[in-house]
Amino acid sequence: MSKMRLIPIIAIDGPTASGKGTVAQKVAHKLKFNYLDSGSLYRLVGLVSKELGVSFSQESQLYDIAKNLPVHFDGEKIFYKNQDVSDLIRTEEMGLRASAVGAIQAVRQGLYDFQRSFLTTPGLVADGRDMTTVIFPEAQLKVFLTADVAIRAERRYKQLIAKGISANILVLTQDLEERDARDIERTASPLTLATGAKMLDTSHLTVEQAVRQILGWYELTEL
Ligand code: DC
Protein backbone atom coordinates (compact mmCIF):
# COMPACT_ATOMS: atom_id res chain seq x y z
CA MET A 1 0.00 0.00 0.00
CA SER A 2 1.43 3.38 -0.92
CA LYS A 3 1.83 5.78 1.93
CA MET A 4 0.68 9.33 1.25
CA ARG A 5 3.57 11.69 1.75
CA LEU A 6 2.90 15.06 3.26
CA ILE A 7 4.89 18.05 2.10
CA PRO A 8 6.54 19.46 5.22
CA ILE A 9 5.67 23.03 6.24
CA ILE A 10 7.34 25.32 8.75
CA ALA A 11 5.02 28.28 9.38
CA ILE A 12 6.45 31.32 11.14
CA ASP A 13 4.35 34.27 12.32
CA GLY A 14 5.30 37.30 14.32
CA PRO A 15 5.18 41.07 14.57
CA THR A 16 6.89 43.62 12.37
CA ALA A 17 10.68 43.71 12.34
CA SER A 18 10.99 40.69 14.62
CA GLY A 19 13.62 39.29 12.25
CA LYS A 20 11.39 36.47 11.05
CA GLY A 21 12.10 37.18 7.37
CA THR A 22 15.85 36.74 7.77
CA VAL A 23 15.46 33.71 10.02
CA ALA A 24 12.81 32.05 7.83
CA GLN A 25 14.89 32.54 4.71
CA LYS A 26 17.94 30.95 6.32
CA VAL A 27 15.91 28.00 7.59
CA ALA A 28 14.52 27.48 4.07
CA HIS A 29 18.00 27.70 2.61
CA LYS A 30 19.42 25.12 5.04
CA LEU A 31 16.62 22.67 4.32
CA LYS A 32 16.50 23.51 0.58
CA PHE A 33 12.80 24.27 1.00
CA ASN A 34 10.71 26.83 -0.89
CA TYR A 35 10.19 30.12 0.86
CA LEU A 36 7.12 32.35 1.01
CA ASP A 37 7.48 35.92 2.27
CA SER A 38 3.76 36.65 2.50
CA GLY A 39 4.35 40.21 3.76
CA SER A 40 5.86 41.11 0.40
CA LEU A 41 2.51 40.33 -1.27
CA TYR A 42 0.64 42.68 1.06
CA ARG A 43 3.32 45.31 0.49
CA LEU A 44 2.90 44.87 -3.27
CA VAL A 45 -0.89 45.29 -3.02
CA GLY A 46 -0.13 48.46 -1.02
CA LEU A 47 2.19 49.72 -3.76
CA VAL A 48 0.00 48.81 -6.73
CA SER A 49 -3.15 50.27 -5.15
CA LYS A 50 -1.28 53.51 -4.53
CA GLU A 51 -0.03 53.67 -8.12
CA LEU A 52 -3.51 52.97 -9.49
CA GLY A 53 -5.12 55.47 -7.12
CA VAL A 54 -7.32 52.80 -5.51
CA SER A 55 -8.37 53.76 -1.97
CA PHE A 56 -8.67 51.41 1.03
CA SER A 57 -12.46 51.63 0.81
CA GLN A 58 -12.59 50.24 -2.76
CA GLU A 59 -12.70 46.62 -1.70
CA SER A 60 -13.64 44.97 -4.98
CA GLN A 61 -10.83 46.78 -6.83
CA LEU A 62 -8.42 45.75 -4.05
CA TYR A 63 -9.63 42.16 -4.38
CA ASP A 64 -8.96 42.25 -8.13
CA ILE A 65 -5.45 43.60 -7.57
CA ALA A 66 -4.69 40.89 -4.99
CA LYS A 67 -6.23 38.07 -7.01
CA ASN A 68 -4.45 38.93 -10.26
CA LEU A 69 -1.05 40.11 -9.08
CA PRO A 70 1.43 39.64 -11.97
CA VAL A 71 4.25 38.90 -9.54
CA HIS A 72 7.16 36.54 -9.55
CA PHE A 73 10.09 35.92 -7.27
CA ASP A 74 13.68 35.33 -8.26
CA GLY A 75 15.79 34.53 -5.22
CA GLU A 76 15.44 37.51 -2.89
CA LYS A 77 14.07 39.74 -5.66
CA ILE A 78 10.41 40.39 -6.32
CA PHE A 79 9.14 41.43 -9.73
CA TYR A 80 5.83 43.08 -10.65
CA LYS A 81 5.10 42.91 -14.39
CA ASN A 82 8.81 42.17 -14.84
CA GLN A 83 9.81 45.35 -12.96
CA ASP A 84 12.08 44.78 -9.96
CA VAL A 85 10.09 46.26 -7.03
CA SER A 86 12.19 44.73 -4.23
CA ASP A 87 13.31 48.10 -2.86
CA LEU A 88 10.08 49.97 -3.60
CA ILE A 89 8.03 47.66 -1.37
CA ARG A 90 10.49 47.77 1.55
CA THR A 91 9.86 51.39 2.58
CA GLU A 92 8.12 52.28 5.85
CA GLU A 93 5.29 53.79 3.84
CA MET A 94 4.64 50.47 2.09
CA GLY A 95 4.88 48.65 5.44
CA LEU A 96 2.07 50.83 6.76
CA ARG A 97 0.03 50.48 3.57
CA ALA A 98 0.54 46.69 3.70
CA SER A 99 -0.77 46.64 7.24
CA ALA A 100 -3.81 48.68 6.14
CA VAL A 101 -4.68 46.46 3.16
CA GLY A 102 -3.95 43.39 5.30
CA ALA A 103 -6.88 44.34 7.52
CA ILE A 104 -9.25 44.00 4.56
CA GLN A 105 -10.76 40.51 4.24
CA ALA A 106 -11.23 40.83 0.45
CA VAL A 107 -7.47 41.34 0.02
CA ARG A 108 -6.69 38.32 2.18
CA GLN A 109 -9.12 36.23 0.19
CA GLY A 110 -7.59 37.45 -3.09
CA LEU A 111 -4.11 36.34 -1.98
CA TYR A 112 -5.14 32.98 -0.51
CA ASP A 113 -4.71 30.66 -3.53
CA PHE A 114 -1.44 32.22 -4.61
CA GLN A 115 0.03 31.71 -1.15
CA ARG A 116 -1.13 28.07 -1.07
CA SER A 117 0.55 27.50 -4.45
CA PHE A 118 3.95 27.82 -2.75
CA LEU A 119 3.36 24.46 -1.11
CA THR A 120 5.42 22.21 -3.36
CA THR A 121 8.08 19.58 -2.73
CA PRO A 122 10.47 19.26 -1.03
CA GLY A 123 8.88 21.55 1.58
CA LEU A 124 7.97 25.10 2.51
CA VAL A 125 8.97 27.75 5.01
CA ALA A 126 6.32 30.50 5.09
CA ASP A 127 6.43 33.68 7.12
CA GLY A 128 3.84 36.34 7.89
CA ARG A 129 0.97 37.00 10.29
CA ASP A 130 -1.49 34.19 9.53
CA MET A 131 0.71 31.40 8.20
CA THR A 132 0.20 29.28 11.34
CA THR A 133 -3.51 30.03 11.71
CA VAL A 134 -5.21 30.50 8.33
CA ILE A 135 -2.99 29.79 5.32
CA PHE A 136 -1.10 26.69 6.53
CA PRO A 137 -2.95 25.52 9.65
CA GLU A 138 -1.74 21.97 8.92
CA ALA A 139 1.94 23.00 9.31
CA GLN A 140 3.98 20.39 11.17
CA LEU A 141 5.96 23.12 12.90
CA LYS A 142 4.46 26.47 13.91
CA VAL A 143 6.62 29.21 15.38
CA PHE A 144 5.65 32.58 16.83
CA LEU A 145 8.78 34.65 16.48
CA THR A 146 8.97 37.90 18.41
CA ALA A 147 11.29 40.41 20.12
CA ASP A 148 10.91 43.45 22.38
CA VAL A 149 9.62 46.50 20.56
CA ALA A 150 12.71 48.59 21.45
CA ILE A 151 14.98 45.93 20.01
CA ARG A 152 12.87 45.61 16.87
CA ALA A 153 12.95 49.38 16.35
CA GLU A 154 16.72 49.39 16.77
CA ARG A 155 17.14 46.54 14.24
CA ARG A 156 14.94 48.33 11.73
CA TYR A 157 16.87 51.57 12.32
CA LYS A 158 20.19 49.86 11.61
CA GLN A 159 18.80 48.22 8.46
CA LEU A 160 17.60 51.55 7.09
CA ILE A 161 20.80 53.41 7.95
CA ALA A 162 22.84 50.64 6.34
CA LYS A 163 20.83 51.18 3.16
CA GLY A 164 21.58 54.90 3.30
CA ILE A 165 17.97 55.76 4.22
CA SER A 166 17.61 58.34 7.00
CA ALA A 167 15.54 57.22 9.98
CA ASN A 168 14.38 58.36 13.38
CA ILE A 169 14.18 55.76 16.13
CA LEU A 170 11.21 57.39 17.88
CA VAL A 171 9.18 57.57 14.69
CA LEU A 172 10.13 53.97 13.90
CA THR A 173 9.01 52.81 17.35
CA GLN A 174 5.67 54.56 16.90
CA ASP A 175 5.23 53.02 13.43
CA LEU A 176 5.99 49.55 14.78
CA GLU A 177 3.53 49.97 17.63
CA GLU A 178 0.85 51.24 15.25
CA ARG A 179 1.34 48.28 12.92
CA ASP A 180 1.48 45.77 15.78
CA ALA A 181 -1.80 47.11 17.15
CA ARG A 182 -3.52 46.97 13.77
CA ASP A 183 -2.19 43.48 12.93
CA ILE A 184 -3.24 42.12 16.34
CA GLU A 185 -6.58 43.90 16.78
CA ARG A 186 -8.05 43.46 13.29
CA THR A 187 -10.88 40.98 12.82
CA ALA A 188 -9.55 39.53 9.52
CA SER A 189 -6.91 36.89 10.37
CA PRO A 190 -5.31 38.76 13.28
CA LEU A 191 -1.77 38.01 14.39
CA THR A 192 -2.17 35.58 17.25
CA LEU A 193 -0.40 32.66 18.89
CA ALA A 194 -1.72 29.52 17.14
CA THR A 195 -2.55 26.41 19.11
CA GLY A 196 0.59 24.31 19.30
CA ALA A 197 2.88 27.13 18.15
CA LYS A 198 6.28 27.44 19.76
CA MET A 199 7.23 30.87 21.03
CA LEU A 200 10.67 32.13 20.05
CA ASP A 201 11.76 35.43 21.59
CA THR A 202 14.80 36.61 19.65
CA SER A 203 15.45 39.76 21.72
CA HIS A 204 18.72 38.33 22.96
CA LEU A 205 19.44 35.76 20.26
CA THR A 206 21.59 36.05 17.16
CA VAL A 207 20.08 35.13 13.81
CA GLU A 208 22.15 31.93 13.82
CA GLN A 209 20.86 30.93 17.27
CA ALA A 210 17.26 31.50 16.18
CA VAL A 211 17.82 29.46 13.01
CA ARG A 212 19.40 26.64 15.00
CA GLN A 213 16.47 26.59 17.42
CA ILE A 214 13.93 26.24 14.61
CA LEU A 215 15.97 23.55 12.85
CA GLY A 216 16.24 21.71 16.18
CA TRP A 217 12.46 21.84 16.66
CA TYR A 218 11.95 20.74 13.08
CA GLU A 219 14.15 17.67 13.58
CA LEU A 220 11.89 16.65 16.45
CA THR A 221 8.61 17.04 14.53
CA GLU A 222 6.87 13.94 13.32
CA LEU A 223 5.94 14.05 9.66
O1 DC B 1 6.09 41.05 7.31
P1 DC B 1 5.99 42.47 6.76
O2 DC B 1 6.48 43.53 7.70
O3 DC B 1 6.61 42.60 5.41
O4 DC B 1 4.40 42.73 6.57
C1 DC B 1 3.90 43.97 6.21
C2 DC B 1 2.45 44.07 6.61
O5 DC B 1 1.66 43.18 5.81
C3 DC B 1 2.12 43.69 8.05
O6 DC B 1 2.22 44.80 8.93
C4 DC B 1 0.71 43.15 7.98
C5 DC B 1 0.59 42.63 6.57
N1 DC B 1 0.67 41.16 6.51
C6 DC B 1 -0.48 40.46 6.77
O7 DC B 1 -1.52 41.07 7.07
N2 DC B 1 -0.49 39.10 6.68
C7 DC B 1 0.62 38.43 6.36
N3 DC B 1 0.58 37.10 6.27
C8 DC B 1 1.82 39.13 6.13
C9 DC B 1 1.82 40.51 6.23
Side-chain angles (χ1 to χ4, degrees):
M1 200 172 70
S2 75
K3 208 172 147 200
M4 204 163 86
R5 289 187 67 100
L6 285 177
I7 303 175
I9 308 170
I10 300 178
I12 304 176
D13 285 326
T16 299
S18 53
K20 61 186 184 333
T22 312
V23 171
Q25 235 168 320
K26 284 187 186 281
V27 170
H29 185 75
K30 290 251 185 212
L31 295 171
K32 299 192 168 53
F33 280 9
N34 304 309
Y35 170 58
L36 167 62
D37 166 12
S38 61
S40 66
L41 302 178
Y42 289 89
R43 287 170 179 270
L44 191 52
V45 173
L47 176 69
V48 174
S49 58
K50 183 182 175 194
E51 285 187 354
L52 296 179
V54 172
S55 77
F56 297 145
S57 62
Q58 293 177 288
E59 296 202 359
S60 69
Q61 283 91 331
L62 289 171
Y63 173 82
D64 286 342
I65 293 172
K67 184 77 187 163
N68 305 299
L69 263 187
V71 58
H72 74 269
F73 293 86
D74 186 0
E76 289 182 18
K77 297 268 175 213
I78 174 167
F79 293 83
Y80 173 73
K81 289 185 179 168
N82 295 325
Q83 183 198 348
D84 184 350
V85 291
S86 319
D87 291 335
L88 286 178
I89 63 162
R90 290 284 147 218
T91 61
E92 288 305 297
E93 183 196 356
M94 288 311 145
L96 287 166
R97 283 189 71 86
S99 173
V101 296
I104 300 167
Q105 181 57 28
V107 172
R108 311 200 71 83
Q109 215 179 314
L111 291 175
Y112 180 85
D113 289 339
F114 185 57
Q115 293 178 89
R116 287 290 308 185
S117 75
F118 281 73
L119 182 53
T120 55
T121 53
L124 175 68
V125 179
D127 91 60
R129 303 293 183 291
D130 62 344
M131 299 297 100
T132 58
T133 52
V134 177
I135 309 296
F136 299 108
E138 77 273 41
Q140 290 83 358
L141 175 60
K142 299 179 182 182
V143 178
F144 189 95
L145 197 149
T146 188
D148 293 344
V149 70
I151 289 177
R152 290 190 278 132
E154 195 185 313
R155 286 178 185 165
R156 175 57 53 89
Y157 177 82
K158 285 184 182 157
Q159 275 173 0
L160 291 172
I161 296 296
K163 283 192 206 160
I165 302 171
S166 69
N168 174 309
I169 196 113
L170 283 178
V171 174
L172 282 177
T173 309
Q174 276 169 7
D175 283 355
L176 289 189
E177 285 173 338
E178 187 189 325
R179 276 168 65 187
D180 282 358
R182 183 155 43 195
D183 296 348
I184 291 165
E185 289 161 15
R186 70 188 180 204
T187 48
S189 311
L191 172 64
T192 180
L193 183 66
T195 312
K198 294 187 185 301
M199 178 73 100
L200 184 57
D201 185 332
T202 66
S203 301
H204 305 291
L205 295 184
T206 63
V207 169
E208 294 314 323
Q209 286 171 324
V211 169
R212 227 175 299 136
Q213 175 64 81
I214 293 176
L215 290 172
W217 281 332
Y218 179 66
E219 272 173 30
L220 297 175
T221 57
E222 288 185 20
L223 292 182

